[in-house]
Amino acid sequence: MKRIGSMGIPESQLETWSHQGSIAQSAATYHAIKNALESTRTAYHTKDFKVFLQGSYGNDTNIYTESDVDVVIQLDDIYFSDVSSLPPAEKAFFDRDFVPAIYSYDQYRDDVFSALTDRFGADVRSGRKAIAVAASGNRRKADVIAAAQFRRYRKFRSIYDSSYDEGICFFTPDGQQIINFPKQHSENLTIKHQASNGWLKPMIRILKNMRRRLVAEGIMSADIAPSYYLEGLLYNVPAVKFGQSYEDSFVNAINWIQSEADKSRLVCANEQYYLLWEGSPTSWEPSDADALLHAVITQWNEW
């Protein structure tokens, strides 16, 4: 299996790539979107919801060339559930206590779209997954996910005696349900970043800059290695592999992935899904991960 050599990209270049991208402009964009979503003029303003960041800016892993701000509005008045892990008796308890929602997801998404259109007008477009708000002036492009609460139940005996992992879910126009756990992703990244004495997130930014260069040179396509999966890849690396220098940290991390890790057991940073799983909408195709690693190692060794 191909490994990375000890001499490659200079420390000075790695240090430059480790820096975080725009903060002030992204913060201003987020607050503009948040204010629009939290307006008392929205159709859902009396309901229970929250607005928060996800993605690279929300996780402090954004690089200079990334401009999008990813925002989630999570409605908690309605929720969707996965009860597949419950024993039959507890599934019966769940069915007994379940109360169908009156406010539908489709109506909620339409209301979020209207809230953004009221504020940003023709800059708002509805996409397959997100509602896009175009960049304008100092405002960066934003992608807004209209999500509902999602519960993956571990136990259900009554509404007062249950346990579950809380995530979010939303639906594409063709009815596909997409489930994610952004809060666990963000919290776990931060915990691992602290355990690595502050090395993890700079290393993620270095890897993302290497991907950016590979894409710019036409060596690989941008969709092979989404930032979410790059964060998950380095999240699995033991904290002791980071430290001393950017060069040592990168060599140790990539060689651990290539030579020591059981890739079939790597997890997403949210620890709810395996990272590498063929044909899963929540996991990275193993062949795409291998292509990214091969290209990164080649870039390093031939620098």
Side-chain angles (χ1 to χ4, degrees):
M1 187 171 291
K2 194 170 184 180
R3 289 169 55 90
I4 200 166
S6 59
M7 298 295 290
I9 301 174
E11 185 76 3
S12 59
Q13 180 63 72
L14 297 174
E15 195 271 337
T16 297
W17 282 347
S18 74
H19 294 163
Q20 190 174 357
S22 169
I23 298 174
Q25 207 176 31
S26 297
T29 300
Y30 170 60
H31 288 300
I33 299 295
K34 188 172 188 287
N35 287 340
L37 294 172
E38 292 179 343
S39 168
T40 57
R41 295 190 298 273
T42 69
Y44 53 80
H45 78 275
T46 60
K47 300 188 181 299
D48 184 14
F49 69 93
K50 48 182 164 288
V51 179
F52 57 91
L53 284 164
Q54 69 168 0
S56 297
Y57 171 62
N59 294 322
D60 304 322
T61 61
N62 58 307
I63 60 177
Y64 284 110
T65 55
E66 289 179 325
S67 59
D68 291 8
V69 176
D70 298 315
V71 181
V72 175
I73 175 169
Q74 176 183 322
L75 181 66
D76 290 325
D77 274 7
I78 62 173
Y79 65 87
F80 295 84
S81 307
D82 176 2
V83 297
S84 61
S85 295
L86 296 179
E90 294 186 18
K91 287 181 182 177
F93 293 149
F94 177 86
D95 291 339
R96 176 199 63 193
D97 292 348
F98 180 76
V99 178
I102 298 173
Y103 187 44
S104 72
Y105 174 81
D106 288 343
Q107 183 60 58
Y108 159 63
R109 193 183 193 280
D110 287 345
D111 290 341
V112 171
F113 182 83
S114 295
L116 294 169
T117 303
D118 288 346
R119 173 64 180 82
F120 303 109
D123 287 341
V124 181
R125 293 285 185 274
S126 182
R128 183 172 180 272
K129 294 181 179 180
I131 301 169
V133 181
S136 178
N138 289 328
R139 189 184 72 232
R140 288 173 168 255
K141 179 180 179 294
D143 288 326
V144 179
I145 296 290
Q149 187 184 131
F150 179 81
R151 299 178 180 182
R152 177 183 283 165
Y153 278 97
R154 299 187 300 270
K155 181 182 80 169
F156 192 98
R157 292 171 184 163
S158 74
I159 57 173
Y160 306 107
D161 184 12
S162 65
S163 60
Y164 54 85
D165 295 311
E166 180 183 318
I168 64 170
C169 74
F170 58 96
F171 295 84
T172 62
D174 59 1
Q176 180 187 6
Q177 183 185 42
I178 298 178
I179 301 164
N180 212 333
F181 296 84
K183 291 189 175 179
Q184 291 91 328
H185 179 98
S186 182
E187 290 170 1
N188 290 344
L189 274 183
T190 297
I191 291 170
K192 187 63 169 282
H193 178 67
Q194 293 168 345
S196 68
N197 292 317
W199 285 93
L200 175 61
K201 292 184 179 183
M203 299 312 301
I204 291 171
R205 293 194 288 267
I206 288 170
L207 183 58
K208 289 169 72 170
N209 271 298
M210 294 181 73
R211 175 200 59 189
R212 175 195 57 78
R213 193 171 186 271
L214 290 165
V215 171
E217 293 176 348
I219 295 172
M220 58 178 282
S221 62
D223 58 355
I224 281 181
S227 295
Y228 173 83
Y229 294 134
L230 298 187
E231 292 174 354
L233 184 67
L234 290 182
Y235 172 77
N236 284 271
V237 177
V240 295
K241 298 295 182 181
F242 300 109
Q244 302 301 319
S245 68
Y246 294 116
E247 181 181 351
D248 286 345
S249 296
F250 196 81
V251 169
N252 291 340
I254 298 300
N255 285 341
W256 179 85
I257 293 166
Q258 289 292 83
S259 302
E260 299 180 54
D262 179 352
K263 291 183 179 178
S264 69
R265 306 297 296 178
L266 300 181
V267 294
C268 292
N270 58 35
E271 297 196 355
Q272 300 294 319
Y273 304 110
Y274 285 115
L275 178 66
L276 304 176
W277 201 266
E278 192 171 344
S280 168
T282 55
S283 301
W284 198 4
E285 285 291 330
S287 59
D288 287 347
D290 287 341
L292 178 279
L293 286 165
H294 182 272
V296 163
I297 291 170
T298 300
Q299 183 184 57
W300 178 280
N301 289 342
E302 296 181 356
W303 189 267

